[in-house]
Amino acid sequence: MTIEPLNALVVDDDVISRKTVGFNLEQEGFHCAYSEGALDALSQLEMYQFDLVVTDLCMPNMHGHTLAVEILSRPNRPLVIVHSGITDPRMTRELISRGVDDVIYKPTNYSGFAAKAFVWASRHRLASTAAVKDDAIHANQPTSTMAVDMFFSATSDSLDFSDIGRKVQMDPGLSAAILAVANSTGHNQSGNKITDVLVALRRIGMKKVADLALDQIRATSANGH
Amino acid sequence: MTSNMSAGIHEAASQIASSGPLPIDSEGLMSRCLGKISFALMLLEEFESSGKRNVEKIVEHVERNELLAAAEAAHALKGTAGIIGAEVLQRLAAEIEDAGRGGQSTIQLALVHGLRAEMGRCLDFIPAFRSTAKT
């Protein structure tokens, strides 16, 4: 099956904002297109399919709010994330209530944002694909959904090992990957094979677990499941 | 290698800033650029031209008492300055934006002069950052 990368459109009249967002998204594996304004963005949306649109609000000719609302009204719309210097919670509430998927404020942690955007866009594409196929999403992609849950659990501030262990055990692919790492020479030099997933989790640490979950999400996305 | 170069930049930045706080948080900038110095330099090059232009725009609008236009230009500068890591400049731009949108009859000229001076400090800092990065 052909691997189709995630496509993002970055809309901002300010070149530094545009390039910084795009650069970080590209490091996560997105293919990025750029628009200096909302009107050009609408033209690009007519021509190409995007998984994600990141737009500024204050732009000449057409406000980013108008662009976001226009995109939200479309069938099979991409994820819409607003990236703005406007931090007024009333604006955030308005945008989120209209269906905007997230609002981030300038400047933000761009690598963290791009990492989250990758997971969201992957999940969004999975859901869109499933909807097109008229399949039940939860029945169709148990592995990827579990991997996404795992990723968020493993990166959560409040770790619950038994909850994470339970989730891992429901995903044979992820369990196997975690056990394989835990039994590698870098983590287990005793020669006694680790077979308990909870022991394996503690041995390799949550950062590695999150990486493995992310690998699985990427693999699922690339295979078009 | 990148981390050695970054360390050199931070050291140079500290020396430059011995008389006061850094005009640009080079560590924050490098973090937003994922440690890629070529990308950081490209952003700074953009900032040198667009930032300076924005400051002049703000000054002109304030002198003509066009407060909303001044606020809009300050809003643009605030975003750019934040990404570059020019924190004092970002704060001053935010203050001018708030003043322009807040229905005040004037914007304090001292605030605008402060903004211009801070932009000067940022522009003075960039060549040192650039030469350290290239060595």
Side-chain angles (χ1 to χ4, degrees):
Chain A
M1 184 166 286
T2 310
I3 297 172
E4 291 183 25
L6 295 165
N7 296 309
L9 176 62
V10 184
V11 190
D12 202 311
D13 59 322
D14 173 57
V15 63
I16 290 175
S17 301
R18 204 166 58 235
K19 285 185 175 173
T20 303
V21 170
F23 173 75
N24 282 271
L25 289 174
E26 283 172 0
Q27 300 305 308
E28 277 296 320
F30 280 93
H31 276 193
C32 289
Y34 299 90
S35 283
E36 291 181 26
L39 293 173
D40 178 63
L42 286 173
S43 303
Q44 295 217 42
L45 283 156
E46 289 301 322
M47 290 187 284
Y48 309 108
Q49 185 77 36
F50 292 100
D51 298 284
L52 168 69
V53 175
V54 182
T55 181
D56 183 25
L57 288 177
C58 295
M59 295 183 288
N61 301 322
M62 185 192 277
H63 199 274
H65 185 283
T66 311
L67 173 67
V69 170
E70 162 60 28
I71 298 171
L72 291 169
S73 69
R74 297 177 174 215
N76 299 323
R77 68 167 179 88
L79 279 178
V80 179
I81 296 178
V82 167
H83 173 230
S84 171
I86 299 175
T87 55
D88 188 331
R90 289 169 301 180
M91 176 59 86
T92 302
R93 201 176 298 124
E94 151 68 15
L95 289 162
I96 296 287
S97 68
R98 282 183 180 267
V100 165
D101 296 287
D102 200 5
V103 179
I104 56 170
Y105 307 111
K106 296 179 184 179
T108 190
N109 173 340
Y110 290 97
S111 57
F113 159 67
K116 285 192 290 182
F118 181 87
V119 178
W120 289 333
S122 300
R123 190 153 51 176
H124 189 71
R125 184 185 278 187
L126 290 172
S128 303
T129 308
V132 168
K133 288 178 181 170
D134 200 24
D135 282 335
I137 295 164
H138 62 278
N140 208 15
Q141 289 104 23
T143 305
S144 78
T145 304
M146 189 55 67
V148 170
D149 283 350
M150 259 311 303
F151 176 77
F152 285 120
S153 298
T155 52
S156 161
D157 288 338
S158 52
L159 285 177
D160 179 345
F161 268 92
S162 47
D163 176 54
I164 292 170
R166 185 179 53 76
K167 285 178 178 166
V168 169
Q169 282 162 354
M170 289 167 67
D171 186 330
L174 193 54
S175 296
I178 288 168
L179 286 169
V181 173
N183 283 303
S184 65
T185 48
H187 290 281
N188 184 6
Q189 293 168 345
S190 69
N192 299 323
K193 192 174 178 187
I194 298 168
T195 53
D196 184 329
V197 172
L198 273 178
V199 174
L201 282 175
R202 290 181 191 279
R203 181 67 62 94
I204 71 175
M206 280 303 119
K207 186 178 179 305
K208 186 68 189 170
V209 173
D211 288 345
L212 291 171
L214 198 55
D215 287 346
Q216 191 142 347
I217 296 165
R218 288 178 199 276
T220 311
S221 168
N223 289 330
H225 281 216
Chain B
M1 185 176 173
T2 300
S3 61
N4 285 343
M5 289 171 81
S6 296
I9 287 167
H10 299 321
E11 200 176 313
S14 302
Q15 286 165 9
I16 291 162
S18 56
S19 58
L22 283 173
I24 292 175
D25 168 20
S26 51
E27 201 171 332
L29 172 63
M30 290 309 295
S31 158
R32 280 184 275 280
C33 297
L34 304 173
K36 295 216 164 65
I37 285 172
S38 57
F39 186 70
L41 290 173
M42 192 265 290
L43 291 187
L44 287 173
E45 197 175 321
E46 292 288 351
F47 177 71
E48 276 180 309
S49 55
S50 70
K52 203 171 170 182
R53 214 168 38 238
N54 263 330
V55 168
E56 292 316 314
K57 233 192 258 184
I58 292 166
V59 173
E60 280 172 28
H61 288 310
V62 170
E63 282 173 352
R64 291 188 206 138
N65 216 27
E66 297 163 349
L67 301 191
L68 201 56
E72 282 169 9
H75 175 80
L77 180 65
K78 181 183 76 175
T80 305
I83 291 174
I84 292 298
E87 291 167 1
V88 176
L89 190 72
Q90 180 190 10
R91 198 169 62 241
L92 290 168
E95 282 181 39
I96 291 173
E97 183 188 4
D98 288 346
R101 292 195 201 279
Q104 296 183 19
S105 56
T106 57
I107 294 175
Q108 298 274 339
L109 270 179
L111 193 55
V112 180
H113 292 320
L115 182 84
R116 191 184 245 166
E118 186 59 24
M119 175 54 92
R121 275 193 355 117
C122 292
L123 295 177
D124 288 346
F125 175 82
I126 292 172
F129 183 99
R130 191 178 283 133
S131 64
T132 312
K134 284 177 179 167
T135 55

